């Protein structure tokens, strides 16, 4: 990607920029700030607004800040400090959000783990990342306790029931009676909900946003061998600001997002968690996106405005047998990523929702968003292009070069390799 510095990419970009949506600035000011402090700035503006909604439980920005700070203090009291690699293996539950910002305030590095990983995959990434601590759900205790103490020295177990309404929580706990019993001690810790007032507004460690890693995001790339993309605080902040700038004004602040894409994928973490919360929006958590009936019930009740997703999810919703029983018309914008969006699926999903559905493109190595189609309702070629990954987000510059040598610039309309330069590109 450093090769991009040798190209006159701005000449071609001048032509590209003429087709940008009128509200999008090609260059924006991105603050050099750590992720925790960025959240605090959002909390100050929207303290009484709902930040997280989960299965009937609502958490305001102010309460979320207190829970984040209390969790950071707990983690710190057990030895978690700046630079530590901490594996986080959680679905889309409130604890993911809380742990994410708590670890950011400590200057620790999150190692993203998929809860569906096999034991071999978990061990490989724990060893490669040199993580000796994991934060996960108690329902994964049977799998994770096998690694203690040889592969991992510290485990924090969270419980979904902590964030469910009383009756639902009781029913949920009854259904989990056969879980592996956990004997808590100084190294196997219960991560309980703590709503006590905690007014701290600064990180617990000095953090260099441009150089200190925030996230190790494992990706197979084209080789199939997982490698960690090292994403800094500044990389992630930059991408959140780039996404916000791309949105039309009515979607920039204080709306509601259906957060169904798993946060352990950087696409879900960025578009359905970090970017919304840094803009004062509410995220509506879906712990299992495969449960289409539950997803439709939540859409019908909570009426989300934005729905970042993937084509398979949109397809599953559209083809659900009873989809006509649910109101999807409050959804107004969908950004699809992770895989190509079939044109017919795009058009059909727009019909049943009334939303604007656009395609984007990115990589774990770009935090992840690099390109998005303009979010407009017309199909004029001066705006969005159906079947295209769109244009580079602000402050992102691209070139297409020869696959053979990685240097020779290809003429417009010719295939090649895409080079990307921008503040969201991995360290």
């Amino acid at each position: 990607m450093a090769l991009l510095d040798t190209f006159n990419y701005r000449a071609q970009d001048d032509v590209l920029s003429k087709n940008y949506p009128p509200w999008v600035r090609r260059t924006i000011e991105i603050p050099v700030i750590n992720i925790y402090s960025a959240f605090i700035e959002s909390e100050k503006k929207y303290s009484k607004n709902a930040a997280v909604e989960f299965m009937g439980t609502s958490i305001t920005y102010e309460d979320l800040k207190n829970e984040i700070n209390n969790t950071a203090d707990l983690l710190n009291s057990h030895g978690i400090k700046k630079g530590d690699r901490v594996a986080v293996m959680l679905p889309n539950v409130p604890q993911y959000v809380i742990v994410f910002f708590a670890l950011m305030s400590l200057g620790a590095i999150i190692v993203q783990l998929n809860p569906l990983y096999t034991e071999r995959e978990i061990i490989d990434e724990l060893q490669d990342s040199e993580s000796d601590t994991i934060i996960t759900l108690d329902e994964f205790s049977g799998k994770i306790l096998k690694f203690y103490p040889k592969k991992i020295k510290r485990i924090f177990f969270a419980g979904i029931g902590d964030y469910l309404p009383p009756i639902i929580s009781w029913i949920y706990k009854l259904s989990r009676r056969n879980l592996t019993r956990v004997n808590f001690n100084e190294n196997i810790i219960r991560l309980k909900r703590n709503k006590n007032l905690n007014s701290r507004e600064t990180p617990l460690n000095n953090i260099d946003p441009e150089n200190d890693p925030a996230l190790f995001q494992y990706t197979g790339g084209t080789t199939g061998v997982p490698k960690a993309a090292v994403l800094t605080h500044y990389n992630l902040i930059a991408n959140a600001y780039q996404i916000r700038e791309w949105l039309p004004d009515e979607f920039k602040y204080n709306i509601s997002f259906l957060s169904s894409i798993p946060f352990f994928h950087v696409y879900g973490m960025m578009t359905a968690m970090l970017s919304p919360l840094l803009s004062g929006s509410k995220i509506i958590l879906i712990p299992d996106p495969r449960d289409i009936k539950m997803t439709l019930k939540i859409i019908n009740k909570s009426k989300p405005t934005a729905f970042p997703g993937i084509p398979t999810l949109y397809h599953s919703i559209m083809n659900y047998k009873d989809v006509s029983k649910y109101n999807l018309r409050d959804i107004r914008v969908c950004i699809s990523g992770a895989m190509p969006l079939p044109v017919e699926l795009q058009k059909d999903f727009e019909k049943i929702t009334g939303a604007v559905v656009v395609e984007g493109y990115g990589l774990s190595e770009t935090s992840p968003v690099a390109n998005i189609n303009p979010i407009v309702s017309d199909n004029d070629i001066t705006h969005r292009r159906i079947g295209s990954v769109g244009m580079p987000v602000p402050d992102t510059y691209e070139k297409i070069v020869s696959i053979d040598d990685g240097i020779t610039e290809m003429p417009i309309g010719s295939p090649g390799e895409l080079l990307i330069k921008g503040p969201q590109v991995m360290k």
Side-chain angles (χ1 to χ4, degrees):
M1 293 188 185
L3 289 173
L4 202 59
D5 292 328
T6 66
F7 299 148
N8 181 24
Y9 57 83
R10 293 188 185 278
Q12 188 174 9
D13 192 71
D14 287 342
V15 177
L16 184 67
S17 297
K18 294 177 182 178
N19 291 316
Y20 268 69
W23 64 84
V24 176
R25 295 168 293 175
R26 189 67 186 92
T27 299
I28 61 175
E29 184 176 347
I30 300 169
V32 182
I33 188 173
N34 67 74
I35 290 169
Y36 173 79
S37 296
F39 169 78
I40 291 300
E41 290 302 310
S42 184
E43 186 274 332
K44 288 179 180 177
K45 297 177 184 176
Y46 305 101
S47 61
K48 302 303 180 183
N49 290 10
V52 176
E53 181 181 310
F54 176 67
M55 309 299 286
T57 296
S58 182
I59 306 171
T60 67
Y61 272 84
E62 182 178 31
D63 289 340
L64 182 60
K65 179 194 74 173
N66 292 331
E67 295 201 39
I68 289 167
N69 290 343
N70 287 322
T71 298
D73 290 342
L74 173 68
L75 297 174
N76 190 233
S77 72
H78 285 278
I80 306 299
K81 60 187 184 304
K82 182 180 178 181
D84 285 352
R85 291 93 184 271
V86 179
V88 176
M89 194 176 87
L90 293 168
N92 291 15
V93 292
Q95 289 96 328
Y96 181 100
V97 181
I98 292 162
V99 163
F100 180 92
F101 287 104
L103 290 170
M104 292 301 97
S105 82
L106 295 171
I109 304 166
I110 292 176
V111 179
Q112 298 262 57
L113 291 184
N114 184 337
L116 299 180
Y117 274 168
T118 64
E119 292 179 15
R120 182 71 259 168
E121 289 172 317
I122 293 172
I123 290 172
D124 286 346
E125 293 192 7
L126 289 175
Q127 291 178 336
D128 184 75
S129 65
E130 299 179 354
S131 302
D132 62 9
T133 299
I134 190 168
I135 303 174
T136 189
L137 289 181
D138 51 13
E139 63 183 71
F140 302 137
S141 57
K143 181 187 296 186
I144 298 304
L145 285 172
K146 294 177 183 178
F147 307 142
Y148 176 82
K150 290 185 177 180
K151 302 294 184 183
I152 202 159
K153 73 177 187 182
R154 190 186 295 114
I155 306 171
F156 291 88
F157 283 115
I160 289 180
D162 290 354
Y163 287 88
L164 295 174
I167 295 178
I168 298 177
S169 177
W170 179 74
I171 296 172
Y172 175 81
K173 289 175 181 177
L174 282 179
S175 70
R176 296 295 188 270
R177 285 184 296 181
N178 294 325
L179 289 178
T180 300
R181 181 177 176 83
V182 178
N183 296 313
F184 295 104
N185 57 44
E186 61 181 6
N187 293 317
I188 302 178
I189 304 108
R190 176 80 164 90
L191 194 64
K192 293 182 179 180
R193 186 176 189 184
N194 186 344
K195 298 185 285 185
N196 294 332
L197 178 66
N198 190 322
S199 59
R200 175 171 52 80
E201 295 182 350
T202 57
L204 293 178
N205 288 285
N206 291 326
I207 297 169
D208 178 352
E210 294 180 293
N211 294 297
D212 287 343
L215 207 66
F216 284 177
Q217 186 70 49
Y218 277 84
T219 172
T222 57
T223 66
V225 179
K227 300 170 290 293
V230 180
L231 303 175
T232 66
H233 286 252
Y234 184 68
N235 288 152
L236 299 179
I237 291 291
N239 210 216
Y241 272 70
Q242 290 167 323
I243 293 168
R244 179 195 298 172
E245 178 66 22
W246 200 262
L247 294 171
D249 288 345
E250 64 266 32
F251 301 121
K252 277 184 166 62
Y253 301 97
N254 197 21
I255 61 171
S256 57
F257 281 72
L258 187 73
S259 298
S260 180
I261 324 171
F263 294 158
F264 52 78
H265 290 306
V266 69
Y267 173 52
M269 183 280 298
M270 176 56 67
T271 63
M273 196 273 286
L274 184 59
S275 184
L277 289 178
L278 296 189
S279 300
S281 294
K282 177 176 70 174
I283 58 175
I284 302 163
L285 303 184
I286 305 288
D288 184 1
R290 298 167 299 179
D291 189 338
I292 301 302
K293 183 176 182 179
M294 179 182 69
T295 299
L296 285 168
K297 284 183 175 180
I298 291 174
I299 291 173
N300 190 73
K301 181 180 179 181
S302 298
K303 307 183 186 310
T305 306
F307 181 11
I310 60 176
T312 52
L313 179 58
Y314 297 139
H315 181 270
S316 296
I317 288 174
M318 193 175 63
N319 288 280
Y320 185 73
K321 60 180 180 179
D322 295 323
V323 67
S324 61
K325 296 179 180 179
Y326 301 92
N327 176 26
L328 308 181
R329 306 297 291 187
D330 291 290
I331 301 171
R332 296 175 59 201
V333 60
C334 300
I335 299 177
S336 178
M339 60 187 71
L341 175 65
V343 172
E344 288 307 311
L345 173 60
Q346 180 178 8
K347 292 179 178 179
D348 289 344
F349 202 75
E350 287 187 336
K351 287 179 182 177
I352 69 167
T353 61
V356 176
V357 182
V358 299
E359 186 169 5
Y361 170 76
L363 312 127
S364 297
E365 294 86 344
T366 59
S367 299
V369 179
N371 294 56
I372 314 177
N373 248 284
I375 301 174
V376 292
S377 59
D378 64 67
N379 295 322
D380 189 318
I381 62 170
T382 59
H383 291 127
R384 66 171 173 165
R385 297 277 181 95
I386 298 293
S388 164
V389 296
M391 296 183 286
V393 293
D395 293 289
T396 303
Y397 302 94
E398 300 177 349
K399 272 288 188 182
I400 296 178
V401 299
S402 168
I403 294 175
D404 296 328
D405 60 21
I407 296 175
T408 305
E409 298 176 38
M410 302 302 291
I412 291 176
S414 300
E417 183 176 16
L418 180 67
L419 300 189
I420 302 171
K421 177 184 177 67
Q424 77 275 45
V425 173
M426 65 177 179
K427 183 178 181 180

